[in-house]
Amino acid sequence: MAHKDWGPRDTESELTRLKSITDKALLQNVEKRYRAGNIYTRSGRIVLAVNPYKKLPLYTEETLQAYKASLAPQVELPPHVYAVASSAHSGMLRTSTSQSVIISGESGAGKTETAKILLEYLAEVSCSGSDLHTRVLKTNPIMESFGCAKTIWNNNSSRFGKFLTLQFSPTGRMQGAFMKTYLLEKSRITSQLANEQNYHVFYTVAKGLSPSQRAELQL
């Protein structure tokens, strides 16, 4: 089945359909789509996202249900994180093998938010009557407190890697989750660049100290 297209007429939602594959052509296509409110662009099974730094009406219940109901969301519907999540979940059920979703990008690209959106979709299709996904999401503030800091690019920059494993039953129901962190930027604890800060947890603790304790610790 041929890919449909979404967005401005002079752009492609599927990068492999571009007549030119130079860096300039790719970037111009993505930029035009972004300016028109289409933050997602597809390249095969890869979805490229550009952080809009504002809330967009892309994650409504109606939108989620549309991707949930589609048998081929990567083809039938616009590029979206929901399409990636749907393909991974259906692929797991169809082949009975583990699936992987890699979320990568520069600081401030929106990796943490993208992971939340993906998890919310998986929770909708596989966690009926369970609060497991809520408990997983509630770990984010704790993880961010100890692993995120203000940088010149991002006020809540993750300074560590995170590997989240979701466990499903043979019928596709989410049953458990395991999170592992790695590559924490330890040097930030003792020194930071100009206009950057230490990890959030230090300021949280300092806020609760008495004046005498702050004086003792020279804060």
Side-chain angles (χ1 to χ4, degrees), residues 126-147:
S126 64
C127 277
S128 178
S130 170
D131 68 340
L132 176 61
H133 74 290
T134 302
R135 284 183 283 157
V136 173
L137 287 173
K138 284 184 176 179
T139 64
N140 278 318
I142 299 175
M143 301 294 292
E144 290 177 6
S145 180
F146 284 89

Side-chain angles (χ1 to χ4, degrees), residues 14 40-49 59 63-64 66-68 70-92 94 99-104 114-115 117-122 125 166 168:
E14 169 58 60
Y40 295 118
T41 305
R42 181 185 293 119
S43 179
R45 299 185 67 180
I46 299 173
V47 170
L48 175 64
Y59 314 102
T63 301
L64 190 151
Y67 284 87
K68 180 179 177 181
S70 175
L71 295 178
Q74 297 274 38
V75 175
E76 299 174 346
L77 297 170
H80 201 291
V81 176
Y82 288 164
V84 176
S86 177
S87 295
H89 187 256
S90 61
M92 176 189 68
R94 186 176 62 256
Q99 306 289 307
S100 297
V101 177
I102 299 174
I103 302 173
S104 64
T114 297
I117 295 167
L118 188 141
L119 184 58
E120 287 170 357
Y121 177 90
L122 292 175
V125 300
L166 301 176
F168 294 85

Side-chain angles (χ1 to χ4, degrees), residues 10 12-13 18 23-25 28 32 42-45 48 77 87 91 132 138 140 145 156 160 176 214:
D10 59 341
E12 295 284 357
S13 62
L18 287 173
D23 289 348
K24 182 179 180 179
Q28 285 181 340
K32 286 181 180 179
R42 181 185 293 119
S43 179
R45 299 185 67 180
L48 175 64
L77 297 170
S87 295
L132 176 61
K138 284 184 176 179
N140 278 318
S145 180
N156 191 42
F160 66 103
R214 291 188 184 185

Side-chain angles (χ1 to χ4, degrees), residues 37-214:
N38 303 104
I39 65 171
Y40 295 118
T41 305
R42 181 185 293 119
S43 179
R45 299 185 67 180
I46 299 173
V47 170
L48 175 64
V50 182
N51 193 340
Y53 292 99
K54 62 181 179 181
K55 291 185 178 180
L56 296 175
L58 300 177
Y59 314 102
T60 62
E61 180 64 22
E62 181 181 0
T63 301
L64 190 151
Q65 291 302 325
Y67 284 87
K68 180 179 177 181
S70 175
L71 295 178
Q74 297 274 38
V75 175
E76 299 174 346
L77 297 170
H80 201 291
V81 176
Y82 288 164
V84 176
S86 177
S87 295
H89 187 256
S90 61
M92 176 189 68
L93 293 176
R94 186 176 62 256
T95 64
S96 298
T97 56
S98 297
Q99 306 289 307
S100 297
V101 177
I102 299 174
I103 302 173
S104 64
E106 295 184 349
S107 179
K111 298 183 293 297
T112 300
E113 289 303 314
T114 297
K116 291 178 183 177
I117 295 167
L118 188 141
L119 184 58
E120 287 170 357
Y121 177 90
L122 292 175
E124 171 63 25
V125 300
S126 64
C127 277
S128 178
S130 170
D131 68 340
L132 176 61
H133 74 290
T134 302
R135 284 183 283 157
V136 173
L137 287 173
K138 284 184 176 179
T139 64
N140 278 318
I142 299 175
M143 301 294 292
E144 290 177 6
S145 180
F146 284 89
C148 293
K150 179 182 178 181
T151 67
I152 57 176
W153 301 107
N154 184 1
N155 287 342
N156 191 42
S157 177
S158 298
R159 313 311 299 167
F160 66 103
K162 181 168 62 177
F163 185 83
L164 176 63
T165 299
L166 301 176
Q167 299 163 328
F168 294 85
S169 70
T171 59
R173 181 179 175 81
M174 193 184 299
Q175 293 185 317
F178 173 77
M179 186 182 298
K180 183 178 181 180
T181 62
Y182 55 94
L183 297 177
L184 178 68
E185 184 187 20
K186 296 180 181 179
S187 61
R188 182 168 293 272
I189 297 175
T190 56
S191 62
Q192 305 86 40
L193 297 176
N195 300 318
E196 295 199 354
Q197 294 183 355
N198 210 318
Y199 292 107
H200 298 327
V201 64
F202 288 99
Y203 305 98
T204 302
V205 172
K207 187 175 181 179
L209 296 176
S210 65
S212 61
Q213 289 174 318
R214 291 188 184 185

